[in-house]
């Protein structure tokens, strides 16, 4: 199975794919080259006429990925054949193209431009999901539902509280993105070995001018071989999809046939079992989270970068990071649809509570008894009540405690709606 082809709409994302497409990558590289030439003309490094000729050539240069692929195979980096094509297109001004820069400068600066768009897309979707989950949490703040720990019924909670757990991860990832963005969206422009020697003393001024024109941060040093910013971004992407994967898994389990307490999404049918409604979108959230978690290890391997440039490490990043970005966009799109359609089934929830017969309220019963009894005695009474409930399928915990510890309205005290918790 691949993430493209037949599964592109499920595990991929058209919006992110457009931002990261070959055409967008080449356009970003040409924008960097044009901006570089303009800034160098402003500093007197190349004639203004040459910068204008370079800009005009870049505006009409559309080589296409197929035309460059063979050269990319030989060079091992996409910027190199594109730069050669721009030099040819610029004619007599070709000698001023790419002056003092290295291919990795152009590749990384173009990536920063694409990431500017990519992170804006993800930020918008995170904000939308945050708002939807906030509305759903408020709407279901008073809907009791069983909490489950280690796949076992634990205590009463509310659906709103469950949703707030998912939303908490979304909110924290929005905050992390605000912190992350200025570290990631930086220009790369230090020349072949990262020394800036080929800029003739104009390096700092040139970087400032180009960064400002591209709305990127000024680099604090060469980062051709220092990929911690990209690894940090990958970690954030995995945090986003991991949080959404948790939401997906919760929805799968809450909607399984034996529970049916919550529905979300439209579901997918079975070719052989017409009674089924498979939780396709929720399952996809889990799949995408696990794929990103796996690829995060690869992005950390890309940190192990030899000397001033290492093509094997860069190849890992070039392969993995676009996939992680695309999966994150897909996850947010799928999560939004699930959040919008999330609906509890109060009758099924009530059935779960009824079948439990109050056992999930055992902790609360122990706390209440401990107000007037030594804690060991309170725990002994609750254990005895639970044993009686286990032996008699018609008995509730409240009824058992009525017999063992009379004088308390146990039906009232152990009402799940009262015990669902609060802030």
């Amino acid at each position: 199975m691949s993430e493209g082809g037949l599964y592109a709409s499920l595990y991929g994302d058209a919006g992110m794919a457009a931002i990261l497409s070959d055409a967008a990558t080449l356009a970003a590289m040409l924008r960097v080259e044009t901006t570089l030439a303009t800034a160098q003309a402003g500093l007197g490094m190349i004639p203004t006429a040459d910068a204008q000729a370079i800009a005009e050539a870049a505006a009409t240069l559309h080589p296409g990925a197929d035309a460059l692929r063979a050269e990319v195979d030989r060079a091992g980096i996409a910027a190199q054949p594109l730069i050669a094509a721009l030099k040819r297109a610029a004619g007599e001004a070709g000698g001023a193209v790419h002056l003092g820069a290295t291919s990795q400068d152009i590749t990384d600066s173009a990536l920063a431009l694409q990431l500017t768009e990519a992170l804006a897309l993800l930020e918008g979707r995170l904000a939308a999901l945050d708002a939807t989950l906030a509305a759903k949490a408020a709407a279901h703040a008073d809907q009791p539902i069983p909490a489950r720990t280690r796949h076992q019924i634990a205590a009463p909670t509310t659906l709103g509280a469950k949703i707030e757990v998912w939303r908490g991860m979304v909110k924290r990832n929005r905050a992390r993105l605000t912190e992350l963005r200025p570290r990631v969206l930086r220009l790369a422009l230090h020349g072949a070995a990262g020394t800036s020697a080929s800029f003739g003393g104009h390096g700092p001024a040139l970087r400032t001018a180009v960064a400002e024109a591209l709305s990127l941060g000024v680099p604090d040093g060469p980062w051709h071989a220092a990929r911690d910013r990209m690894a940090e971004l990958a970690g954030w992407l995995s945090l986003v999809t991991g949080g959404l994967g948790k939401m997906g898994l919760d929805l799968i389990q809450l909607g399984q046939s034996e529970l049916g307490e919550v529905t979300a999404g439209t579901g997918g049918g079975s070719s052989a079992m017409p009674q089924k409604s498979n939780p396709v979108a929720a399952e996809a959230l889990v799949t995408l989270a696990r794929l990103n978690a796996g690829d995060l290890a690869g992005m950390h391997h890309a940190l192990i970068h030899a000397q001033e440039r290492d093509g094997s490490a860069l190849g890992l990043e070039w392969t993995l990071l676009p996939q992680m970005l695309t999966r994150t966009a897909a996850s947010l799109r799928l999560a939004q649809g699930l959040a919008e359609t999330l609906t509890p089934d109060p009758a099924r929830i009530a059935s779960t509570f009824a079948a439990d017969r109050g056992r999930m309220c055992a902790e609360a019963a122990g706390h209440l008894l401990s107000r007037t009894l030594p804690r060991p005695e309170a725990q002994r009474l609750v254990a005895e009540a639970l044993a009686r409930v286990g032996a008699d399928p018609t008995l509730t915990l409240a009824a058992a405690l009525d017999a063992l510890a009379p004088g308390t309205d146990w039906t009232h005290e152990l009402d799940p709606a009262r015990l669902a918790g609060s802030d």
Side-chain angles (χ1 to χ4, degrees), residues 13 15 120-130 329-330 332-333 336:
D13 186 81
L121 182 148
L122 297 179
E123 182 179 41
R125 293 187 183 179
L126 276 167
L129 181 58
D130 188 2
L332 286 165
R333 188 193 71 246
Q336 182 66 30

Side-chain angles (χ1 to χ4, degrees), residues 134-231:
K136 287 289 183 175
H140 303 305
D142 297 323
Q143 173 60 64
I145 195 169
R148 294 173 173 86
T149 60
R150 302 183 70 172
H151 302 276
Q152 304 294 310
I153 288 179
T157 186
T158 67
L159 181 55
K162 281 182 175 285
I163 295 170
E164 280 292 353
V165 170
W166 310 333
R167 186 186 171 220
M169 289 185 278
V170 171
K171 290 167 62 179
R172 289 189 290 277
N173 283 325
R174 292 183 69 188
R176 290 183 182 109
L177 178 56
T178 299
E179 299 166 1
L180 170 75
R181 191 192 303 269
R183 289 193 288 272
V184 169
L185 303 181
R186 287 180 178 254
L187 179 74
L189 191 61
H190 275 83
T195 64
S196 297
S198 54
F199 296 133
H202 292 288
L206 183 60
R207 283 188 286 274
T208 297
V210 176
E212 182 177 344
L214 294 175
S215 297
L216 296 175
V218 178
D220 52 6
W223 54 282
H224 301 147
R227 312 309 290 186
D228 54 297
R229 293 181 178 92
M230 296 302 110

Side-chain angles (χ1 to χ4, degrees), residues 37-378:
T38 300
Q40 288 176 325
L43 293 170
M45 297 174 66
I46 65 173
T48 300
D50 284 358
Q52 292 173 343
I54 292 169
E56 291 170 2
T60 58
L61 183 61
H62 304 290
D66 290 341
L68 300 176
R69 192 162 286 121
E71 289 298 321
V72 172
D73 289 347
R74 280 189 283 273
I77 186 167
Q80 197 172 110
L82 180 66
I83 293 163
L86 179 58
K87 288 181 176 181
R88 292 191 297 270
E92 293 183 1
V97 171
H98 195 64
L99 183 66
T102 188
S103 297
Q104 193 63 42
D105 286 332
I106 307 307
T107 297
D108 284 338
S109 295
L111 173 61
L113 291 177
Q114 290 175 282
L115 288 176
T116 300
E117 293 186 59
L119 295 184
L121 182 148
L122 297 179
E123 182 179 41
R125 293 187 183 179
L126 276 167
L129 181 58
D130 188 2
T132 301
L133 290 176
K136 287 289 183 175
H140 303 305
D142 297 323
Q143 173 60 64
I145 195 169
R148 294 173 173 86
T149 60
R150 302 183 70 172
H151 302 276
Q152 304 294 310
I153 288 179
T157 186
T158 67
L159 181 55
K162 281 182 175 285
I163 295 170
E164 280 292 353
V165 170
W166 310 333
R167 186 186 171 220
M169 289 185 278
V170 171
K171 290 167 62 179
R172 289 189 290 277
N173 283 325
R174 292 183 69 188
R176 290 183 182 109
L177 178 56
T178 299
E179 299 166 1
L180 170 75
R181 191 192 303 269
R183 289 193 288 272
V184 169
L185 303 181
R186 287 180 178 254
L187 179 74
L189 191 61
H190 275 83
T195 64
S196 297
S198 54
F199 296 133
H202 292 288
L206 183 60
R207 283 188 286 274
T208 297
V210 176
E212 182 177 344
L214 294 175
S215 297
L216 296 175
V218 178
D220 52 6
W223 54 282
H224 301 147
R227 312 309 290 186
D228 54 297
R229 293 181 178 92
M230 296 302 110
E232 182 182 8
L233 171 60
W236 179 80
L237 295 170
S238 186
L239 284 173
V240 173
T241 53
L244 300 180
K246 186 269 190 293
M247 171 181 162
L249 184 56
D250 283 353
L251 289 172
I252 290 169
Q253 294 186 340
L254 289 170
Q256 67 188 46
S257 300
E258 296 81 358
L259 298 182
E261 294 171 357
V262 176
T263 59
T266 57
S270 166
S271 62
M273 295 168 283
Q275 81 280 6
K276 292 180 64 184
S277 180
N278 296 324
V280 174
E283 289 173 330
L285 288 184
V286 177
T287 298
L288 292 164
R290 288 173 174 161
L291 286 168
N292 265 5
D295 279 356
L296 179 58
M299 287 294 294
H300 283 175
H301 279 295
L303 285 166
I304 308 167
H305 203 113
Q307 307 291 346
E308 279 65 51
R309 197 89 78 329
D310 185 342
S312 59
L314 290 168
L316 280 173
E317 181 184 304
W318 294 339
T319 301
L320 298 177
L321 186 58
Q323 295 177 350
M324 294 186 73
L325 286 160
T326 300
R327 292 179 194 132
T328 306
S331 293
L332 286 165
R333 188 193 71 246
L334 292 167
Q336 182 66 30
L338 289 168
E340 289 174 354
T341 56
L342 185 150
T343 307
D345 187 331
R348 294 294 296 269
I349 294 170
S351 295
T352 303
F353 280 121
D356 180 72
R357 291 182 287 140
R359 284 173 289 189
M360 72 177 76
C361 302
E363 181 188 27
H367 287 316
L368 185 57
L369 285 168
S370 295
R371 295 176 184 175
T372 55
L373 295 172
R375 185 161 182 76
E377 177 62 14

